Amino acid sequence: MHDDLLARSRAWLAEDPDPETRDELAKLIDTGDVEELAARFSGTLQFGTAGLRGELGAGPMRMNRTVVIRAAAGLAAYLKKQGHTDGLVVIGYDARHKSEDFARDTAAVMTGAGLRAAVLPRPLPTPVLAYAIRHLGAAAGVEVTASHNPPRDNGYKVYLGDGSQIVPPADADIAAEIDAVPSLHDVPRPESGWETLDDSVLDAYLARTDAVLAAGSARTARTVYTAMHGVGKDVLLAAFARAGFPTPALVAEQAEPDPDFPTVAFPNPEEPGAMDLAFAKARETSPDLIIANDPDADRCAVAVPDGADWRMLRGDEVGSLLAAHLVGRGAQGTFAESIVSSSLLGRIAEKAGLPYEETLTGFKWIARVDGLRYGYEEALGYCVDPEGVRDKDGITAALLITELASVLKAEGRTLLDLLDDLAVEHGLHATDQLSVRVQDLSVIADAMRQLREQPPTELAGLAITRAEDLTRGTDTLPPTDGLRYTLEGARVIVRPSGTEPKLKCYLEVVVPVGTHADLPAARAKAADLLAAIKQDLSTAAGI
């Protein structure tokens, strides 16, 4: 076994085109670090519907140039089999370590395979790449990003020509082509021959952002903005300037791209502490709201003044606010969300007489809904201009929520006032999440198995009226690894994360509300129920 591991490591080393990872791997071989080599050569990073994502480093279980070149070669082979013999592949990248290298390698592989490649001019938000695919009539797009993962990670996200991320069976077909790539020495990688785009695509994207706002709407809300050390700042500022909003006050420490993300443990606005600097800036400047993007700016977080301090709105709250705003503006078309998001969207759509659909988790599913007008997911993802960007877009979502805050401000009201109105109209929909990050992935598998073998019959004293194992699929959903429990006035979904080593449990309780005066009691009841469901679910899952 030991000899086999060394042989595989040396074979990998012989192919690796990157001096940094070659040095890293050579040291591990020289020092005979069997444990570390075994971790890196225990398999290969799996190409799935999120593409690839993993820790940077040498070896097939890490993100590196060898893995990326193989992925690009597999994608090129897949596209050619689909008849795109000279199709265009447009490539975007964020500001993480190695992102530009991975983008350049992808362009070289596509060019070598006889396809045409075009690379965005610099690190730009993921939605700009998603927009560029349809704008340029590309056969596919690649975004090099690990979104809001830790600094040591990078990733590779693939879109097809419709401008949305891949779904089965395309992921398995591409994975099979990647597996069939023989040696890297057989993958042609010319030094040039692809196009580096100018700013015309970005300009076209920015021109399109105007379309999400109502002509002549109020544009007075003042914001504090953090780019979370990512690539959002310049594009967001340009979009806000075009729209005529006040210039956002920047969180200076997090405004410029920095692949080490020095001020945050996890560069995700939802993680504890990530918004502390933004809150501090807001206490200084007293804006109407805080806007945060994640590092590749496809997500948008919102915080608002609440009493004497600030609080983050949940993704479900922002999702409902944007829906109510679009309904108020007379939007037509289908409203859609993933199954883990709040059922309030369905109530808003139903009352407005609009079609509504639930999908599996991920914008790759939401973006494919027929006649989509608006889609959102509780993990801070919003698609407010599906004709322009068939994916979540943290820039246009920021524009729309700031427009809503401006409209309310003109009426002497706030986003929280509108949330209260929605609770009185449709019932208080309170959501929470139980999220367990693990070192050992078997913990997640064990928890799922325990829930399947010994399913709970009640949670928080509420009877489970329906238990569904989503691996079997439902009338409206394809199969996925997840469990859904319907309770009297509550709902729980349990699933492994698709992009991180986490088990995620999504909880929702719905408490009827008579009048605005009943809201405090309803909130207290909802909080107690959510806490009790969390506790009982932890016990049932053995976590």
Side-chain angles (χ1 to χ4, degrees), residues 428 430 432 459-462 487-490 492 507-512 521-537:
L428 176 69
D432 202 357
L459 294 168
L462 303 173
L487 301 89
E488 293 290 343
V492 172
L507 326 176
E508 179 177 50
V509 300
V510 183
V511 180
R523 287 214 169 88
K525 181 179 178 183
D528 290 347
L529 275 174
L530 287 169
I533 292 173
K534 241 186 209 184
Q535 186 61 53
D536 290 356
L537 190 62

Side-chain angles (χ1 to χ4, degrees), residues 2 101 117 121 172 199 204 239 252 278 450 498 514:
H2 184 61
D101 295 345
D199 274 355
Q450 181 160 329

